[in-house]
Amino acid sequence: MKQNFALKLFKVFIFINILFVNIQVFAKETVNETNSQIQEEFEEWKQDFRKTAIQKGIDSGFLDTVLPQISYLPRVIESDKKQSEFLLTFWTYTDRVISDKRIRDGKNMMKKYKSLLQKTSKKYGVQPEYLVAFWGLETNYGTYKGEINTLNALATLAFDKRRRAFFTNELITLLKIMQAGEQTAFKGSWAGAFGNFQFMPTTYSAYAVDADKDGKKDIINSLPDAFESAANYLSKMGWNDSQSWGSEVVITQKLDWNKIHAKGKMPVSEWEKLGVLRADGKAWNAKTKPIMARLVLPTGVEGPAFLAYRNFDLIMRWNNSTLYALSVGILADKIKYHHAPIYAKPQQSVISRNDLKEIQNYLKDKGFYKYETDGILGKGTRKAIRDYQKSIGWDEDGYPSQKLLNHLRKEGAK
Ligand code: CA
């Protein structure tokens, strides 16, 4: 379970990085740029890793052929360390990942692979538009699967000390896959994910499928294998193809935060009683009313609002990011329906990491926040903001808005 959680967190991290780092061409996968000291340490690490791998059941003869070919890639570490200056908002994120072109391409993919998608959809109980939406977000429909040797990427990250246990496990899993001959050559992202749906080795190991029955689970080059593997993963998590991911809503009255915090999830009909209505102005139908849903406010009460169903939570288990999950759902809708707008009006204000640090500092002074003022929007920061909002009678959305910052600055100046 712990491993799973680390994987989820890590996927968010790489996704955010991939958005912000200009996709770099790793043309030179050589060690030229590395200084000799790191190179020496890397060779020593290989010896230690060799012992660990043997303990985990990798054949020593196999390691003798593979290990000498593994290289340290300095740019993997550079990419891994990059952080963006601004927090992603719903609008900046969706502008990037749900472009008009991506929607058009998605509709074309639905036509082009209609029979394959329908067959996969029936077999696993996952609607085709969701498979296409994941595919679009992960690799732009297979056009950016990554060209980095996965062995080198994972070895570099396993050698680096920051998340050694996590990547060592992924690397050993990859070696087991290679040793079993399921697939022998892996290329993908700098973070060690590969194939049309960017699986990490542990995900591949648990869920990959040989759909075209050629004896290999080839999620990089075979679309039947890739689609079935993604559908199998979603299906095993409990995907429900009689429901969607959720729906955009409008908040028409002051929210009852005590009830929302106490219950978390409520039937759509309960939300309706709290004044949470469909954004398109239509009434909920009888089939939707009993569905358990939670309220998702990616940029606070003043931004767009959504009711999210169980499938939404499964998208977040694939990649533990609210913005990613919303994007998969919205892209799926836009691919499937001719008219699937977002009704909320785009907001312009974007706060930077420095702004968030400032908010954290104010909340620390006031006794609401007790962690590092790092400019990262984590659980502790969200809770501190919620607690402070509650104390001054504001909506408890936990969102670090410009309005909140202005308010705190005024307070601080007193
Ligand atoms: Ca195959």
Side-chain angles (χ1 to χ4, degrees), residues 209-218 222 225:
V209 173
D210 175 20
D212 58 15
K213 306 277 186 252
D214 68 345
K216 284 196 288 182
K217 300 171 187 173
D218 185 356
S222 159
D225 287 12

Side-chain angles (χ1 to χ4, degrees), residues 135-339:
W135 191 26
L137 256 68
E138 292 291 346
T139 60
N140 194 32
Y141 311 110
T143 58
Y144 187 74
K145 290 179 281 192
E147 289 295 326
I148 300 166
N149 179 311
T150 305
L151 263 183
N152 291 342
L154 288 174
T156 300
L157 290 160
F159 161 70
D160 191 56
K161 290 187 179 66
R162 288 167 303 150
R163 279 159 298 162
R164 179 166 279 188
F166 172 79
F167 284 110
T168 301
N169 183 53
E170 292 294 340
L171 180 56
I172 285 171
T173 305
L174 184 74
L175 289 169
K176 279 184 183 165
I177 294 162
M178 292 171 70
Q179 185 174 258
E182 289 176 40
Q183 188 165 335
T184 47
F186 290 89
K187 281 193 302 185
S189 74
W190 59 262
F194 52 87
N196 281 277
F197 290 85
Q198 296 289 283
F199 279 17
M200 292 295 284
T202 49
T203 313
Y204 175 97
S205 175
Y207 304 106
V209 173
D210 175 20
D212 58 15
K213 306 277 186 252
D214 68 345
K216 284 196 288 182
K217 300 171 187 173
D218 185 356
I219 63 170
I220 301 177
N221 303 302
S222 159
L223 273 186
D225 287 12
F227 285 162
E228 283 210 20
S229 299
N232 184 41
Y233 182 23
L234 292 167
S235 165
K236 291 271 158 62
M237 285 196 283
W239 192 268
N240 179 350
D241 67 351
S242 71
Q243 289 181 5
S244 71
W245 64 277
S247 152
E248 190 187 355
V249 292
V250 282
I251 297 165
T252 61
Q253 63 193 55
K254 172 92 173 131
L255 288 168
D256 180 349
W257 287 99
N258 286 333
K259 188 168 183 184
I260 292 170
H261 288 319
K263 293 210 167 182
K265 283 192 171 187
M266 288 180 263
V268 168
S269 54
E270 288 286 310
W271 286 106
E272 192 176 19
K273 285 179 197 156
L274 295 180
V276 176
L277 307 179
R278 271 175 64 155
D280 61 7
K282 293 178 186 160
W284 302 106
N285 62 32
K287 197 181 148 226
T288 308
K289 284 192 176 189
I291 297 176
M292 294 298 281
R294 65 187 172 92
L295 186 64
V296 176
L297 303 170
T299 57
V301 284
E302 283 168 22
F306 304 90
L307 281 185
Y309 314 149
R310 184 154 181 274
N311 286 340
F312 182 89
D313 297 336
L314 303 184
I315 305 172
M316 290 206 42
R317 276 167 64 184
W318 176 301
N319 184 341
N320 190 25
S321 153
T322 302
L323 295 180
Y324 177 88
L326 286 171
S327 298
V328 168
I330 291 165
L331 181 58
D333 285 350
K334 285 182 181 289
I335 287 169
K336 185 174 181 191
Y337 302 107
H338 291 300
H339 184 66

